[in-house]
Amino acid sequence: RLVKGKPELLIEHSLKNTGKKAIDTTQYNHNFFVIDHEVVGPDISVKFVFAPVPTRGFKDRAEVHGHEIVFPHELQGKNGVFSELEGSHNDVEDYDFRMENLKSGAGVHITSDQKLDKVNFWAIQTVASVEPYIHLNIEPGRESHWTIRYDFYTLPPAPTQ
């Protein structure tokens, strides 16, 4: 749902176990954001509250700088990157990501009320995606609820020289 008067989108989930066995699974969102139809390259930044450590190399297509994934050049065609990211403490505070388009000044801040179980990162020329997972364990007759929040914002203008 959209939050009235705010640049926010809430995806509110519920899952009820009507069976006889526990549901023990993970759930994730692709978060395929295309900001202003820009290609993925030096103007795209993906920020984490923890220092992400890729389990697979990004080759020369992406780099980790502290708490951020950046792109030294535009990605070409389907020559992208994919990796699970380590470095999280697997808590609620780590489910906190920002994707920003430095050229247009647009960004999205993604958070949840659930603990981060794991996170993948995926990008090709047209889209960069943080794919966070949560763990669900729902006993028979019980229901689980969780919310993912997307706050949209604009970056302050870059200082002129």
Side-chain angles (χ1 to χ4, degrees), residues 65-114:
H65 293 175
H67 290 238
E68 185 175 12
I69 294 176
V70 297
F71 301 89
H73 51 81
E74 288 183 3
L75 295 180
Q76 300 297 314
K78 294 186 180 186
N79 291 321
V81 297
F82 172 81
S83 181
E84 185 172 339
L85 301 176
E86 296 179 340
S88 153
H89 294 101
N90 301 101
D91 55 28
V92 174
E93 290 78 18
D94 283 346
Y95 200 122
D96 188 323
F97 315 100
R98 291 178 185 270
M99 298 186 66
E100 297 178 344
N101 182 315
L102 306 175
K103 183 177 179 182
S104 70
V108 60
H109 184 202
I110 307 164
T111 57
S112 179
D113 57 4
Q114 296 296 304

Side-chain angles (χ1 to χ4, degrees), residues 6-139:
K6 294 184 178 182
E8 286 181 347
L9 168 68
L10 301 178
I11 300 180
E12 299 166 324
H13 301 82
S14 66
L15 180 61
K16 184 174 184 177
N17 185 347
T18 60
K20 296 185 189 307
K21 296 180 182 179
I23 296 174
D24 189 8
T25 190
T26 56
Q27 183 274 338
Y28 77 102
N29 284 43
H30 280 293
N31 294 319
F32 285 178
F33 283 99
V34 177
I35 300 177
D36 293 329
H37 305 285
E38 295 290 333
V39 298
V40 175
D43 290 322
I44 303 298
S45 169
V46 184
K47 298 178 180 179
F48 302 78
V49 295
F50 58 91
V53 179
T55 60
R56 297 168 61 171
F58 288 155
K59 300 184 180 175
D60 65 341
R61 298 176 190 149
E63 300 170 352
V64 176
H65 293 175
H67 290 238
E68 185 175 12
I69 294 176
V70 297
F71 301 89
H73 51 81
E74 288 183 3
L75 295 180
Q76 300 297 314
K78 294 186 180 186
N79 291 321
V81 297
F82 172 81
S83 181
E84 185 172 339
L85 301 176
E86 296 179 340
S88 153
H89 294 101
N90 301 101
D91 55 28
V92 174
E93 290 78 18
D94 283 346
Y95 200 122
D96 188 323
F97 315 100
R98 291 178 185 270
M99 298 186 66
E100 297 178 344
N101 182 315
L102 306 175
K103 183 177 179 182
S104 70
V108 60
H109 184 202
I110 307 164
T111 57
S112 179
D113 57 4
Q114 296 296 304
K115 292 189 334 183
L116 180 67
D117 186 53
K118 75 174 195 169
V119 62
N120 290 337
F121 180 74
W122 183 85
I124 59 172
Q125 183 180 31
T126 55
V127 66
S129 172
V130 176
E131 299 177 332
Y133 288 70
I134 64 168
H135 181 251
L136 298 170
N137 190 323
I138 309 167
E139 294 298 322

